[in-house]
Amino acid sequence: MEKGEKLGKVIEAAKLYYLLDYTQSDIAKKLGVSRPTVSRLLQQAKSEGIVQIKIHDPMVEVESLAFKLEEKFGLKKAIVVSVPEYEDHLIKNYLGGAAADYLNEIVKDGDIIGVTWGTTLYHVAIGLAQKFVRDIKVVQLKGGVSYAETNTYATEILDLFGKAFNCAPYHLPLPAIVDHVVVKETLEKDRHIRAILDLGKQANIAVYTMGSVKDDSLLFKMGYFTKEDLATLKNKAVGDICSRFFNQFGMICNEDLNARTLGIQLEDLKTKEHSILVGGGPNKINGIYGALLGQYTNTLITDQFTARFLLDNQGNS
């Protein structure tokens, strides 16, 4: 067999085997050679670089992405989860499980855990395994009463956290945002409400997600916003944490709305031992990037697609 003819058979055998999924026996019949000859042709294809086999290990990739996120944004911890598709429901499911596992690792006796509400946090809550720790307190970080028929999962989330960590949670039975500052100030003067708000401020672990600025997002369906609020948010905001909206640089973008919001301040998240942002998906990229610039989180749990956008595209609108 001449050199050119043999090379042709090497390439043809490689295409049949690696691209068309022929068996070596089928290739032998098609090329009119023996099966051992086919094996030698395929081996030659690899040794001469005609065929190059690359094994994609998602675990190596996510570990690399997590390290890069920690380096770029000065995070204490980044966890990147490999998700099969860039689809919201899948992302929430996978991130919720990863966040639940991480909480199971870090929660210790005497911790105070502050939580928010929403579908992402619900996925975290249902993924929690029971951990036998003592003197844990679980507290709601922001109001969750809706003016519309919208389920925030606030009660379910707190109850599931309480069950996992053997405690009775502290609910904040208030709306997240009220119409007037004076209403908020009056509510905060109530000693029972003040005690819950103070407990949220004392929490050493905070677990929350990123809200997007979209009409179909949970917060926007709850009837809190005036037309003026909506106009400001859609023009300036990239997302919210604990119902406090900020721009692409992580700065509060509507001071009047912020003054009417009940719950933890963004600045208080900076003081937490574990300030854990759980979020991913195409609608959350700019918001997460703004939160990282604002340094509101020291722990990010996200998916590999969002991680790449944060590293490469820098969350640009």
Side-chain angles (χ1 to χ4, degrees):
M1 188 184 297
E2 294 183 3
K3 187 175 181 181
E5 184 184 354
K6 185 177 181 182
L7 181 60
K9 283 191 179 295
V10 169
I11 293 171
E12 189 173 358
K15 286 181 177 178
L16 291 169
Y17 189 73
Y18 291 105
L19 298 181
L20 300 177
D21 293 325
Y22 275 53
T23 66
Q24 292 191 21
S25 296
D26 291 337
I27 296 169
K29 291 175 186 176
K30 187 171 180 65
L31 299 184
V33 297
S34 67
R35 191 177 178 286
T37 298
V38 172
S39 181
R40 286 195 294 272
L41 292 173
L42 294 174
Q43 184 59 44
Q44 184 178 340
K46 286 192 288 185
S47 63
E48 294 187 4
I50 295 166
V51 170
Q52 297 180 8
I53 297 173
K54 182 179 179 181
I55 297 174
H56 175 70
D57 183 349
M59 288 306 298
V60 172
E61 183 195 23
V62 296
E63 287 171 5
S64 173
L65 289 170
F67 176 76
K68 289 175 182 176
L69 287 171
E70 290 168 358
E71 288 286 295
K72 179 171 183 175
F73 297 106
L75 295 169
K76 175 186 287 188
K77 179 76 173 178
I79 297 172
V80 178
V81 182
S82 180
V83 299
E85 294 177 50
Y86 207 35
E87 194 275 320
D88 274 345
H89 180 73
L90 269 177
I91 292 168
K92 289 176 181 180
N93 196 1
Y94 277 75
L95 297 189
D101 290 344
Y102 183 61
L103 283 168
N104 191 261
E105 285 180 30
I106 66 171
V107 171
K108 61 189 185 305
D109 292 351
D111 281 342
I112 303 173
I113 307 168
V115 299
T116 59
W117 41 257
T119 52
T120 300
L121 263 292
Y122 182 64
H123 280 288
V124 176
I126 61 177
L128 289 169
Q130 190 167 19
K131 185 172 185 178
F132 294 99
V133 283
R134 295 178 298 177
D135 302 323
I136 300 294
K137 292 178 181 175
V138 172
V139 60
Q140 188 175 337
L141 290 177
K142 67 170 181 173
V145 173
S146 176
Y147 295 141
E149 293 181 5
T150 303
N151 189 2
T152 64
Y153 299 98
T155 300
E156 295 93 328
I157 290 164
L158 283 163
D159 288 345
L160 286 166
F161 266 79
K163 183 179 178 182
F165 300 117
N166 312 298
C167 65
Y170 294 83
H171 294 257
L172 188 60
L174 300 170
I177 300 166
V178 293
D179 287 339
H180 303 286
V181 175
V182 66
V183 175
K184 176 198 168 185
E185 291 173 345
T186 301
L187 288 169
E188 289 181 338
K189 287 177 182 175
D190 179 270
R191 62 190 175 92
H192 301 289
I193 292 170
R194 182 78 259 158
I196 293 170
L197 292 172
D198 286 344
L199 190 62
K201 194 171 182 178
Q202 294 163 23
N204 62 305
I205 299 173
V207 191
Y208 50 90
T209 189
M210 170 63 56
S212 61
V213 186
K214 286 173 63 69
D215 290 335
D216 60 354
S217 69
L218 187 55
L219 193 60
F220 277 68
K221 290 196 271 186
M222 294 176 69
Y224 289 139
F225 304 117
T226 65
K227 289 182 179 179
E228 291 76 16
D229 291 335
L230 291 171
T232 301
L233 296 178
K234 289 178 180 179
N235 285 333
K236 297 181 179 179
V238 293
D240 81 277
I241 291 174
C242 299
S243 303
R244 298 187 185 276
F245 289 85
F246 48 85
N247 63 20
Q248 61 184 323
F249 305 109
M251 299 173 65
I252 294 293
C253 63
N254 185 326
E255 288 294 348
D256 174 66
L257 184 62
N258 193 55
R260 294 188 277 120
T261 301
L262 281 155
I264 196 164
Q265 298 277 354
L266 292 182
E267 287 298 313
D268 291 330
L269 294 175
K270 296 181 179 182
T271 66
K272 306 299 183 194
E273 179 185 1
H274 301 282
S275 186
I276 305 169
L277 171 55
V278 186
N283 296 323
K284 307 287 183 75
I285 297 166
N286 291 330
I288 294 171
Y289 193 78
L292 291 170
L293 289 187
Q295 299 181 322
Y296 301 127
T297 180
N298 60 33
T299 303
L300 175 64
I301 301 176
T302 193
D303 61 89
Q304 82 273 27
F305 300 106
T306 302
R308 288 193 210 111
F309 279 117
L310 293 171
L311 292 167
D312 299 337
N313 296 354
Q314 301 186 352
N316 292 331
S317 301

